[in-house]
Amino acid sequence: AKENGRDHARFFEAHMANEITDRFRLEQEIKDAIGAQQFYLMYQPQMNTLTQSIIGFEALIRWEHPERGFVSPVEFIPLAEESNVICRIGEWVLEQSIAKLHQWRNQELKVLPVAVNISGRHFVSEGFSQHIETLLERYKVPGDLLKIEITEGVFIHDMNQCIEIMEGLKALNVEISVDDFGTGYSSLHYLKKLPLDILKIDKSFVCEIGDHAEGDKICEAVIQLAQNLDLQVIAEGVETAEQASVLNALGCYLHQGYFYARPLPESEVIALLHHELPI
Ligand code: C2E
Ligand code: CA
Ligand code: CA
Ligand code: CA
């Protein structure tokens, strides 16, 4: 599978030479892929280590291309973000996630929130929060079952516009996480100004825990910052028992990572919701 991934990376690189046709082709392919149902979602559990229970899932997109096989989001999302086609992807992921929440509720499962990744361009696009409101109403899903993950890059856009969109989501009870926290525009200024709910410590910091003291220090600083600002904090990319116990000792009890579970197909999510199995 790794070998495959590298082939795909080369495919896109080879076409970089002809950037305009490449972008056009990718755009068209993504639009076709939505229609042809080549995209699907995997769901990675997020854990509360105090209660040892799952608190929700992050939806992660997958693309099964008929000729190229599996194409990683690390390849196609950055390209898609260069044009409005990222909004088409985001709309698909939102509708798919909300439709799944609707189905799970109808199966009388204990339904947990799903967090969706939204790119900056889409987040600040016209009518974003209204569109979410429409979807939640259409599928009769309460807003607190949906969470939105954005990266710090969103905050290069007009601050007042960001606040307005966030207030719109807040009114729907949709919580907002800052993804990859610490890797982007590290202005503490916006953190105080914006109505955020959750900081996600980037996995590049989590993976340094135990390697050297600085690794722990950055996580500690983010956790304290979150506590001071009254935000929840989730550590992503937790892979080892040592990382988990250091994070717990630092007061961070919300974890996501391979140590607990990989991103799972829907069937496994349903099994978990059915039995409420400890993972
Ligand atoms: P992200 O939002 O930071 O998502 C976390 C990534 O880390 C996921 O990779 C997940 O599978 C991976 N991961 C989870 N636990 C571990 C761990 O313990 N160790 C390591 N090394 N990795 C772990 P994935 O699914 O390949 O997605 C990569 C990125 O692609 C995401 O990073 C996100 O930026 C983007 N992406 C994925 N799905 C979507 C989507 O639906 N919409 C948008 N706009 N972006 C998406
Ligand atoms: Ca994310
Ligand atoms: Ca991340
Ligand atoms: Ca990311």
Side-chain angles (χ1 to χ4, degrees), residues 58 149 179-181 200-203 236:
E58 178 177 2
E149 296 195 2
D179 207 355
D180 304 342
F181 184 73
K200 290 190 80 174
I201 309 177
D202 191 60
K203 58 176 176 284
E236 66 170 25

Side-chain angles (χ1 to χ4, degrees), residues 12 100 114 130 149 153 220 252 254 270 273:
F12 284 120
K100 291 297 177 196
V114 171
Q130 288 89 330
E149 296 195 2
E220 185 178 4
C252 174
L254 304 181
I270 290 175
L273 294 175

Side-chain angles (χ1 to χ4, degrees), residues 5 8-9 12 26 29 39 61-65 68-76:
H8 300 316
F12 284 120
L26 179 83
E29 275 196 58
F39 291 119
I61 197 168
R62 299 290 177 259
W63 186 2
E64 189 63 46
H65 192 282
R68 292 186 223 157
F70 177 77
V71 187
S72 166
V74 179
E75 290 176 44
F76 70 87

Side-chain angles (χ1 to χ4, degrees), residues 92-247:
W92 181 85
V93 176
L94 279 171
E95 176 146 19
Q96 183 76 6
S97 301
I98 293 170
K100 291 297 177 196
L101 284 165
H102 168 80
Q103 283 177 23
W104 299 340
R105 273 161 65 82
N106 277 4
Q107 293 171 42
E108 287 171 44
L109 301 167
K110 180 182 176 278
V111 180
L112 297 169
V114 171
V116 168
N117 292 284
I118 295 295
S119 299
R121 188 196 278 268
H122 187 193
F123 190 79
V124 300
S125 67
E126 181 73 34
F128 177 73
S129 62
Q130 288 89 330
H131 180 62
I132 290 188
E133 181 171 19
T134 304
L135 288 173
L136 291 172
E137 276 172 9
R138 184 183 303 157
Y139 290 96
K140 300 184 183 64
V141 168
D144 58 7
L145 286 179
L146 180 73
K147 292 174 194 277
I148 299 294
E149 296 195 2
I150 51 177
T151 57
E152 294 169 84
V154 167
F155 309 130
I156 59 165
H157 295 94
D158 180 67
M159 184 71 94
N160 291 326
Q161 193 191 354
C162 284
I163 292 176
E164 204 181 301
I165 296 159
M166 290 179 181
E167 298 289 3
L169 294 174
K170 192 120 290 187
L172 301 171
N173 287 323
V174 175
E175 288 192 333
I176 304 159
S177 310
V178 183
D179 207 355
D180 304 342
F181 184 73
T183 62
Y185 303 80
S186 302
S187 159
L188 300 181
H189 174 68
Y190 66 71
L191 279 184
K192 263 188 95 101
K193 273 199 157 179
L194 298 171
L196 297 164
D197 302 287
I198 301 159
L199 295 186
K200 290 190 80 174
I201 309 177
D202 191 60
K203 58 176 176 284
S204 64
F205 304 125
V206 173
C207 80
E208 289 191 339
I209 288 176
D211 285 359
H212 46 79
E214 291 86 75
D216 300 20
K217 281 277 183 301
I218 292 176
C219 291
E220 185 178 4
V222 175
I223 292 161
Q224 275 180 6
L225 181 66
Q227 284 168 351
N228 290 339
L229 293 171
D230 219 10
L231 300 172
Q232 298 169 65
V233 58
I234 303 183
E236 66 170 25
V238 180
E239 292 185 350
T240 68
E242 187 193 8
Q243 290 163 358
S245 74
V246 169
L247 288 160

Side-chain angles (χ1 to χ4, degrees), residues 5-65:
R6 238 173 275 138
D7 285 348
H8 300 316
R10 267 202 299 277
F11 177 92
F12 284 120
E13 272 164 33
H15 288 260
M16 285 303 186
N18 202 337
E19 228 181 86
I20 292 171
T21 46
D22 181 56
R23 194 167 305 172
F24 180 78
R25 277 185 47 175
L26 179 83
E27 270 188 54
Q28 196 51 52
E29 275 196 58
I30 287 173
K31 287 174 192 165
D32 294 347
I34 293 175
Q37 294 179 294
Q38 292 167 13
F39 291 119
Y40 60 98
L41 295 177
M42 296 281 267
Y43 304 86
Q44 188 176 34
Q46 301 178 324
M47 308 296 298
N48 180 327
T49 58
L50 286 180
T51 60
Q52 294 195 40
S53 58
I54 303 173
I55 54 154
F57 299 91
E58 178 177 2
L60 294 159
I61 197 168
R62 299 290 177 259
W63 186 2
E64 189 63 46
H65 192 282

